[in-house]
Amino acid sequence: MGTDNEQYNTALQREIEIIEGILESKAQYRKIVKAGIAQWVKDLQAGNIKMQTVQDLDRLIELGIKLQKDEL
């Protein structure tokens, strides 16, 4: 068995790896949200989306804001 310090360092390293994984996932989610917004704007400009269907854009923007808030 390791010392208390070694056990603490091992537990701390696991926590760091978990947090890094979460941050990496959030970065990927932000990329997806950005791509979704860009596609929505292209579809709007092409006339494929009417202005009464802004709920999808609203949801994408809200998700993007939530992901950014978590970083503060």
Side-chain angles (χ1 to χ4, degrees):
M1 245 192 205
T3 66
D4 287 342
N5 194 31
E6 289 171 339
Q7 291 174 350
Y8 173 77
N9 287 339
T10 300
L12 185 60
Q13 184 60 38
R14 274 184 278 179
E15 288 293 320
I16 290 170
E17 290 170 2
I18 290 169
I19 291 169
E20 286 174 342
I22 291 169
L23 293 175
E24 186 176 317
S25 293
K26 286 183 180 182
Q28 293 298 320
Y29 296 151
R30 281 192 305 279
K31 288 179 185 178
I32 293 168
V33 168
K34 283 183 178 182
I37 291 171
Q39 184 61 51
W40 192 93
V41 170
K42 286 179 186 177
D43 288 344
L44 177 66
Q45 291 171 338
N48 298 329
I49 295 176
K50 304 296 180 215
M51 283 308 290
Q52 64 253 32
T53 60
V54 296
Q55 287 177 326
D56 290 340
L57 177 61
D58 188 47
R59 288 182 188 135
L60 288 169
I61 291 170
E62 284 181 29
L63 180 58
I65 290 169
K66 285 180 184 178
L67 289 168
Q68 288 177 355
K69 281 183 182 178
D70 287 345
E71 290 181 356
L72 299 176

